[in-house]
Amino acid sequence: MKKDLKTKLINRKVKKPNPIIMTIGMWIVGIINKIYKVEFTYDYDPKSIKGKPTILLSSHASRLEFLYTVYGFGRKDINVVCGFQNIIKKGLYPIFLQVGVISKYLYQPDFLCVKNMLRVLKRNGAIGLFPEGIQSTSGSTHPINPATTQFIKSSKANIVVCSTRGAYLATNRYSSDRKKGYIGVNYSLLFTPQMLEELTEEEIYKMILDKISYNDFEYNKVARNKYVGKKPNAYGIDKILYKCPDCKAEHTLRVENDTLICNSCGFSVRINQYYDLVDIKGKGCPSDIDAWYKWQRRCVAEQIKDDNFEMTVSGSICTLKFDKLRKEPQNREVLSVGELKLTKKELAFTGELNGQRVDFNFDAKSIYSLTCSTKGYLEFYHNNDYFMIVPDVKQKSLIKWTLASEEIHNLYDERWRSACADVYSKGDIYG
C-alpha cells in the first residue's frame, strides 16, 4: 500500500541536510540579509563547537526568523525543527525533506520528534529549535514549554541561544509587508555539556528565558530605528487589535492609511515609522502595541471566568489532504460544515457532511491555543492531529479566539499557566 505524505514525513529517518542545497540556500539568504542589513554578533567563537553536538535555541519574533538565525549560526549540518502543518505544502515539502527538517506537532507530546533530535546529536550534528513554538503575535516573548528544559538537560550538547532585536518590526505578524529597518541577531554559548550536568532544570529554564526574551516595541523606544515598507506600519493591525481602549467596544477598529480608528467612539491613533502610538484622539491609549495586546488578554482572562462565557462562529472544520501535495485551499479536506462553539469546558463543532451529522468535541484542557492564521482561519492540534476552522464569512479579526482558548486552557493546566506568567504580566493576569 502506498504511504501517504504524513506517514512518509513522520516515519522517515531524518538524515543530514543535503550539503549542495544548504550551500546554495545559505548563499541566497546571505544576499538577502545583506540587502536588509541584518547584523550578527557573537559572545563565543563559533569554530569552538564545530562538529560537536549542539542545539540552537532561537527566539521566534518574526516569520523569517529561520533565515536570520540558521544563516548566522553557520553550520550546514543543522536539522531544524518545524511545525508539521508548515511542511505539508506544495513547493516546500520536498525541499524540507532534503534539508532534513524535523517535524513537530505543536503543543503536543511528540516522541518521534525527540527520537529524531537525539539521532542528530548522536552523530555530532546540530538542531535548530524554536522553544516558543510559534511566531510572536505582538512582538514579545511567547511562553516556553518547561518540557523543553528536560530535553536540554538530558541532551549532553552545547546550547547556543540566539535572540533578535527588531525582527518583529521588520516582519510583523499582522502584515506580509517586509519592512526595511535594523535587525540585530546575537548568539551566546549559554551551556556546555558540563554545565548542564551541574545545573538544575529550573536554573536552566530561567537562564534560557532570560537570554531569549525580547520585546521589540520596548527595544525601539530606546533604539529609535525606522521601519519602512510598501504599506504603512498600521496596515493589518486590526487583525491583532480588536478592542478599543477608550470605549471598550470590540471589533469596531478599522485602519485608514497609518491610523487605527474606532467606529464606535471615534478614538484614533497613528502608528509612525518607529511603531510609536502617536496623535491620539481619545481619553487614553496603551503605551505600545504589545501593551495593547496584553491588555486585551487581561480583558479576556476576566471574561472567561463567567460560567456563561461562549463564542461561536459558523464555518467548516478541516484537516489537510495527504494523498498528494496541493496549493491552498485545495489542500484542505472538509470534515464537517456547521458551527464552532468555545466555552470554559470544551471546544465543540456541530455540523453535517454529505447529509450526515458529523460532530467534534474537544476537552478545553487539551487545546493549548486556537492559533490565528494570517490567512483568515484558526488552527490547532489535538492528539497529534491537525485541524483548521475556516469561517463561512471572512473575519477581520479572529484573535479573540486565540486569547480565549489560551486563557481557558490555563484554567486547567497549572504548569502551562506558570510558563505564561513568566512572559506575560503575572500580577495583572494571573494574580
Side-chain angles (χ1 to χ4, degrees):
M1 183 180 293
K2 186 178 179 181
K3 294 181 180 179
D4 62 28
L5 295 169
K6 181 178 180 180
T7 303
K8 287 182 179 179
L9 175 65
I10 300 304
N11 293 332
R12 86 192 199 282
K13 186 177 180 180
V14 175
K15 299 179 180 179
K16 285 184 179 181
N18 184 302
I20 297 176
I21 293 179
M22 287 295 288
T23 298
I24 295 172
M26 289 285 200
W27 179 73
I28 294 173
V29 171
I31 293 175
I32 295 173
N33 287 337
K34 285 182 180 179
I35 291 173
Y36 285 97
K37 298 180 180 179
V38 182
E39 181 180 287
F40 300 93
T41 57
Y42 304 83
D43 294 346
Y44 71 105
D45 180 4
K47 294 180 181 179
S48 66
I49 58 172
K50 187 176 181 180
K52 297 180 180 179
T54 305
I55 299 175
L56 173 66
L57 298 177
S58 175
S59 58
H60 206 341
S62 87
R63 62 182 178 276
L64 299 180
E65 207 87 345
F66 68 97
L67 293 181
Y68 317 134
T69 59
V70 172
Y71 174 81
F73 185 56
R75 287 180 60 165
K76 297 177 184 178
D77 63 340
I78 184 169
N79 294 82
V80 178
V81 177
C82 182
F84 169 81
Q85 81 281 8
N86 293 320
I87 302 175
I88 308 287
K89 290 186 176 181
K90 190 170 185 178
L92 294 177
Y93 182 83
I95 296 175
F96 279 151
L97 264 60
Q98 285 293 312
V99 297
V101 166
I102 299 173
S103 173
K104 174 73 173 74
Y105 296 123
L106 300 183
Y107 301 118
Q108 305 289 302
D110 195 332
F111 300 109
L112 284 176
C113 175
V114 173
K115 187 176 181 180
N116 280 321
M117 289 194 289
L118 291 174
R119 282 175 177 167
V120 172
L121 295 177
K122 190 174 182 179
R123 61 171 163 79
N124 295 325
I127 297 169
L129 191 62
F130 297 91
E132 295 168 87
I134 62 172
Q135 178 196 346
S136 173
T137 306
S138 62
S140 65
T141 318
H142 269 259
I144 295 175
N145 194 327
T148 303
T149 308
Q150 296 175 3
F151 175 74
I152 297 300
K153 170 74 173 173
S154 62
S155 68
K156 298 179 181 179
N158 294 289
I159 311 299
V160 174
V161 174
C162 173
S163 57
T164 62
R165 296 292 179 268
Y168 183 90
L169 307 182
T171 49
N172 61 55
R173 181 65 183 272
Y174 55 83
S175 170
S176 60
D177 187 31
R178 175 67 161 87
K179 318 290 184 184
K180 283 192 175 182
Y182 174 81
I183 299 173
V185 186
N186 177 258
Y187 298 83
S188 296
L189 178 58
L190 195 60
F191 306 113
T192 62
Q194 294 75 22
M195 293 172 66
L196 290 176
E197 288 184 8
E198 297 169 0
L199 295 169
T200 65
E201 287 186 13
E202 186 178 62
E203 290 171 330
I204 293 170
Y205 172 78
K206 288 180 178 178
M207 292 175 70
I208 291 173
L209 187 60
D210 180 65
K211 198 68 179 179
I212 212 169
S213 292
Y214 58 91
N215 186 319
D216 275 359
F217 295 106
E218 285 291 337
Y219 159 77
N220 209 40
K221 289 175 184 177
V222 177
R224 308 311 293 161
N225 296 312
K226 287 185 178 181
Y227 293 86
V228 181
K230 295 180 181 179
K231 297 179 179 179
N233 290 344
Y235 179 79
I237 201 167
D238 48 350
K239 292 179 181 178
I240 67 165
L241 300 180
Y242 72 94
K243 190 178 183 78
C244 175
D246 205 349
C247 71
K248 310 302 185 292
E250 297 184 358
H251 305 293
T252 59
L253 299 172
R254 76 177 192 278
V255 174
E256 289 187 7
N257 297 317
D258 63 354
T259 303
L260 188 62
I261 302 168
C262 175
N263 290 329
S264 178
C265 69
F267 167 87
S268 66
V269 59
R270 186 170 65 87
I271 301 173
N272 66 14
Q273 293 178 336
Y274 301 97
Y275 281 92
D276 296 328
L277 301 179
V278 296
D279 299 337
I280 300 167
K281 180 184 177 182
K283 297 176 182 178
C285 183
S287 58
D288 56 52
I289 292 168
D290 180 65
W292 192 332
Y293 183 79
K294 286 176 178 172
W295 169 72
Q296 292 179 153
R297 179 178 291 279
R298 292 196 296 273
C299 293
V300 171
E302 284 298 317
Q303 290 176 348
I304 59 130
K305 292 178 182 179
D306 187 339
D307 290 336
N308 295 318
F309 176 83
E310 180 179 296
M311 292 181 67
T312 60
V313 66
S314 297
S316 304
I317 183 169
C318 310
T319 189
L320 296 174
K321 294 179 179 178
F322 299 116
D323 57 335
K324 67 177 182 179
L325 295 168
R326 299 176 174 86
K327 292 183 178 180
E328 288 190 287
Q330 287 77 24
N331 65 337
R332 300 172 188 168
E333 178 185 352
V334 178
L335 303 176
S336 186
V337 179
E339 183 182 72
L340 179 74
K341 181 168 69 173
L342 175 66
T343 68
K344 287 178 67 173
K345 294 183 178 180
E346 66 175 356
L347 178 72
F349 192 95
T350 305
E352 294 184 352
L353 187 66
N354 298 325
Q356 299 293 318
R357 180 77 176 261
V358 183
D359 298 339
F360 292 84
N361 293 89
F362 309 96
D363 183 74
K365 183 179 179 179
S366 66
I367 306 298
Y368 280 78
S369 175
L370 290 171
T371 306
C372 181
S373 169
T374 55
K375 295 183 179 179
Y377 56 82
L378 297 166
E379 52 188 348
F380 66 98
Y381 283 90
H382 182 264
N383 290 339
N384 292 346
D385 288 319
Y386 171 74
F387 297 94
M388 292 176 283
I389 303 296
V390 184
D392 287 338
V393 179
K394 189 173 182 179
Q395 308 284 309
K396 183 168 67 172
S397 175
L398 290 167
I399 200 65
K400 187 176 180 181
W401 283 88
T402 301
L403 293 170
S405 61
E406 291 175 353
E407 291 306 314
I408 288 172
H409 176 84
N410 285 344
L411 293 175
Y412 304 97
D413 190 337
E414 184 177 349
R415 196 178 187 201
W416 189 252
R417 183 168 68 249
S418 177
C420 292
D422 288 334
V423 295
Y424 302 141
S425 180
K426 187 171 184 178
D428 288 341
I429 299 178
Y430 303 110

